[in-house]
Amino acid sequence: MYRNPFTSDLLAELERLQRQAQRFTGPATSIRGYDRLGFPALNVGGTPDSVEVYAFAPGLDPKTIDVTVERGVLSISGERAATLPQAGAPGGGATVHINERFQGRFQRAISLSDDADPARVSASYTNGVLHISVKRRESSQPRRIEVH
Amino acid sequence: MNITKTNPGADTARADTPAMLPPVDVVEDTTRIVLYADLPGVPKDKLNLRVEADTLTIEAEVSLPMNTQMEASHAEVQVPRFQRSFTLGQELDRAHISAELKNGVLTLTIPKAEHAKPRRIEVVAA
């Protein structure tokens, strides 16, 4: 547990402690109920020539997902429509028993390292996972220099 | 994907493997209950739906196309498995559960048994 002794923001400290406490809710990692800050969940990794981002965003129309790169920041945004009947809608009699799934507008941003080339980004959406691949710039690849 | 009905107590060995709880929405109307579950990254062949006695279990594995050279730097999804169970009431017709998996969202429709559907009774002036 890392505690920053110089913090002046008590609210941020409390939030950090709560997040840490939530991690220890049992042997199973729980991902129930994406909250506003956490949809979609992101996994980011790197290969020698690319940066790979996986956004877990089921139930979207891929044409409506906005993926942009600006000043080194990759931004993923969109809106997930509600699948539930709204309160007071006609054709009534439907009762909502559980409502945990995220709905509404979302936006998440990732800063890309300097060697990521914004001109070489590809994105695909399969089984509810948005996979974004950003190739690294050619000039930044490690090159071996011959010694004669 | 397959929906299998097994004997109670069979195949509980996997219950101990860590898994994520998928978030769900459940809506009920006069003829059925519909359950929506978020299962991102799950292809049809990795989804397992089971009905054992009164319990419906959703089990699924995340399968992503990944470059083997990839090193994760930030992983919010660390366990590539989903599992969640629900108890079903007697009024539900578990023999006619239908399921659809599209874009990582599972839609389960569980109809109510005929005898449980509300029926309007005509009142005749006597």
Side-chain angles (χ1 to χ4, degrees):
Chain A
M1 253 222 265
Y2 299 96
R3 199 178 159 274
N4 178 1
F6 301 107
T7 184
S8 56
D9 186 344
L10 189 57
L11 220 49
E13 268 295 301
L14 283 172
E15 265 199 85
R16 186 187 59 78
L17 281 171
Q18 183 180 11
R19 272 201 306 275
Q20 278 184 337
Q22 277 172 348
R23 259 175 232 145
F24 295 94
T25 50
T29 317
S30 164
I31 202 168
R32 59 184 301 153
Y34 296 109
D35 61 18
R36 293 273 139 189
L37 300 169
F39 183 90
L42 297 175
N43 278 12
V44 183
T47 70
D49 46 33
S50 68
V51 177
E52 306 286 328
V53 176
Y54 296 87
F56 293 78
L60 299 174
D61 177 358
K63 292 191 280 292
T64 65
I65 307 175
D66 258 320
V67 178
T68 57
V69 179
E70 191 178 347
R71 278 190 267 246
V73 175
L74 169 70
S75 171
I76 301 166
S77 60
E79 182 161 357
R80 183 145 95 153
T83 41
L84 302 181
Q86 300 305 312
T95 314
V96 176
H97 290 300
I98 308 177
N99 182 5
E100 294 166 354
R101 292 164 70 228
F102 176 87
Q103 63 198 46
R105 282 212 61 84
F106 60 85
Q107 199 225 2
R108 291 211 65 182
I110 301 157
S111 18
L112 299 172
S113 47
D114 288 337
D115 64 348
D117 189 349
R120 293 161 72 211
V121 182
S122 63
S124 62
Y125 185 68
T126 317
N127 288 331
V129 176
L130 175 66
H131 175 202
I132 300 168
S133 181
V134 186
K135 295 267 180 284
R136 299 187 198 268
R137 293 180 210 273
E138 285 295 332
S139 54
S140 66
Q141 309 276 7
R143 267 175 308 164
R144 190 175 163 71
I145 296 165
E146 286 283 334
V147 179
H148 295 290
Chain B
M1 112 181 76
N2 53 336
I3 305 178
T4 57
K5 294 189 184 43
T6 61
N7 295 322
D11 189 25
T12 47
R14 299 204 63 186
D16 295 337
T17 329
M20 298 186 286
L21 276 173
V24 303
D25 289 339
V26 176
V27 187
E28 174 174 0
D29 66 21
T30 50
T31 59
R32 65 202 182 150
I33 286 190
V34 184
L35 179 149
Y36 304 91
D38 275 353
L39 301 172
V42 173
K44 279 201 179 62
D45 57 332
K46 296 283 193 194
L47 172 63
N48 196 318
L49 298 167
R50 287 199 317 270
V51 176
E52 301 167 300
D54 282 343
T55 308
L56 164 74
T57 301
I58 300 169
E59 258 189 307
E61 268 180 46
V62 172
S63 174
L64 297 175
M66 262 195 276
N67 190 319
T68 45
Q69 285 185 304
M70 191 177 96
E71 277 183 37
S73 59
H74 176 91
E76 291 170 7
V77 175
Q78 296 183 2
V79 179
R81 212 177 141 249
F82 290 106
Q83 182 170 337
R84 194 155 178 188
S85 297
F86 298 91
T87 49
L88 305 172
Q90 287 302 314
E91 77 283 5
L92 297 174
D93 183 356
R94 63 246 11 236
H96 291 101
I97 300 179
S98 68
E100 183 193 326
L101 182 61
K102 185 177 172 212
N103 285 336
V105 178
L106 169 68
T107 306
L108 275 180
T109 306
I110 311 166
K112 293 193 185 173
E114 276 306 317
H115 69 83
K117 286 186 188 161
R119 265 171 301 158
R120 187 175 163 71
I121 298 164
E122 279 292 327
V123 179
V124 179

